[in-house]
Amino acid sequence: MSVNVLVVDDSGVMRSMIIKTIRLSGLQLGEIHQAANGREGLDALHQNWIDLVIADINMPVMNGEDMIDRMIEHPEFKDIPVVVISTEGSKTRVERLENKGARFIHKPFTPEIIRDTVKDFLGEQVFDDSAN
């Protein structure tokens, strides 16, 4: 099963790093979509089949937490797993995101951390055996 991923981060360099890292994690990837903020992320969700969202918190136009709130309100998007990857991780904010169903990964991260977090959401069947 290939997983279509949406990477939402205002830094193009960070989006590239996340994409490279998820490739190294062994996740069986389908399409990879990118967005520079939460509003573009929501647009991408409306235009594409997305199985997993990886998002930053602090972005212009619409931040990651607001995007997650809009996803929860939308029947088609509310069950899409969201992994937040950010340097900003106050305990209060992390708890609030987790209460919304998101998982949190602190930067810097490794392919193994992403792999283990995504496995919790989607199961082992979406990973290549060689990466486990």
Side-chain angles (χ1 to χ4, degrees):
M1 174 186 150
S2 294
V3 177
N4 294 333
V5 178
L6 171 61
V7 179
V8 186
D9 195 300
D10 57 320
S11 165
V13 171
M14 185 54 62
R15 288 194 308 268
S16 294
M17 288 176 56
I18 291 169
I19 290 167
K20 181 177 181 179
T21 303
I22 59 175
R23 288 185 199 283
L24 292 172
S25 75
L27 182 63
Q28 296 175 22
L29 288 170
E31 297 177 358
I32 299 174
H33 302 276
Q34 299 183 46
N37 60 62
R39 174 119 22 247
E40 288 181 14
L42 291 174
D43 290 344
L45 285 165
H46 282 284
Q47 297 168 11
N48 305 282
W49 181 268
I50 303 295
D51 300 301
L52 173 68
V53 173
I54 299 176
D56 190 13
I57 295 175
N58 297 314
M59 297 178 285
V61 183
M62 178 185 285
N63 70 39
E65 189 168 357
D66 289 342
M67 183 186 77
I68 291 168
D69 289 340
R70 300 305 172 285
M71 288 176 65
I72 291 169
E73 295 167 359
H74 197 286
E76 290 180 39
F77 307 148
K78 66 183 177 76
D79 295 324
I80 297 174
V82 178
V83 175
V84 174
I85 299 179
S86 183
T87 55
E88 202 255 286
S90 71
K91 185 175 183 189
T92 304
R93 188 166 225 176
V94 171
E95 287 176 358
R96 195 167 60 232
L97 289 165
E98 288 175 344
N99 287 335
K100 295 176 185 191
R103 304 287 169 91
F104 192 89
I105 296 175
H106 289 277
K107 292 178 186 173
F109 50 86
T110 64
E112 293 80 15
I113 291 170
I114 290 179
R115 180 194 65 217
D116 293 346
T117 303
V118 173
K119 270 186 187 179
D120 286 345
F121 267 137
L122 302 179
E124 291 188 26
Q125 71 275 6
V126 297
F127 287 87
D128 295 327
D129 292 336
S130 60
N132 293 325

